[in-house]
Amino acid sequence: MATTRETETGDIGSSLAGALPDADRFRWLLGLVVPAALVVVWHLLVATGVFAAHQLPEPLRVVETLYGMAATGELWGHIAITLQRVFFGTLLGVSAGIVFGTITGLYGLARDLLDPLLQSLKNIPSLAWVPLFLLWFGIGEGAKVLLIAVGAFFPVYLNLSTGIGNVSEDLLEVAEVYDLGRFESLRRVVFPAAVPSLLVGIRGGVGLAWMFVVAAELIAASQGIGFLMSDGRVLARPDIIVGSILLFAFFGNLSDLAVKEVEQRVVDW
């Protein structure tokens, strides 16, 4: 009798579990809770007069401004050029980071020669590079892409170099046991073991690329989200400034999620 009741209870529980939606599918909604709360606080601060409208516009005002610019097509041009700069800058920076990270990770002499210099350059703020890049490369697109590449380079270099240098001795011993050559050891043991570190570096590099694009678009730019933000400052339009900041946050987060998804797929595979 008890067994029958337990069986029926289990069947009901299974049916309810099947009827309820998978909670994991909606976990991403948790990430919207804090931003939504901040928007509410933002609106209340402006509505109650804590911040004047010329200091901080209402959320609806920012949305209306972005919508108006999107309707005229102006906003899409700024977004497109910024995405293009970030893409090519990140591609260049990640490629250079992989080359230097591999060299310094594999060869102690190269690490001793290059790492102190690169670690020092890593600490230079993005805006500090602007005058030098203006002198070296002028005001063209090349200067902007190279500046973004500088930002993307350092996380990739640092993580990959560290990842290769920290490959487990046990894995290297396995390569010796199977009598793998130098190239095969690198291809089958060292590089696969360093892939998680590389992916973390790429994720950090993409994030810094979005930070450096602001400085890059101060180099005599006439288009781009950074230019839009600077133009909003000149015109005393806080709605444009805040809207530009939100666009940076949105596209930066979108690119981070894309890299994170690739990272999870590669690691799981």
Side-chain angles (χ1 to χ4, degrees), residues 157-175:
Y157 158 75
L158 181 61
N159 280 275
L160 181 57
S161 179
T162 303
I164 292 176
N166 291 337
V167 172
S168 172
E169 292 291 336
D170 294 337
L171 291 177
L172 297 177
E173 289 176 3
V174 169

Side-chain angles (χ1 to χ4, degrees), residues 198-228:
L198 172 61
L199 292 173
V200 171
I202 291 175
R203 191 176 174 189
V206 171
L208 271 184
W210 280 102
M211 295 182 187
F212 270 65
V213 74
V214 178
E217 291 184 339
L218 294 178
I219 304 178
S222 58
Q223 273 189 309
I225 302 175
F227 165 78
L228 190 62

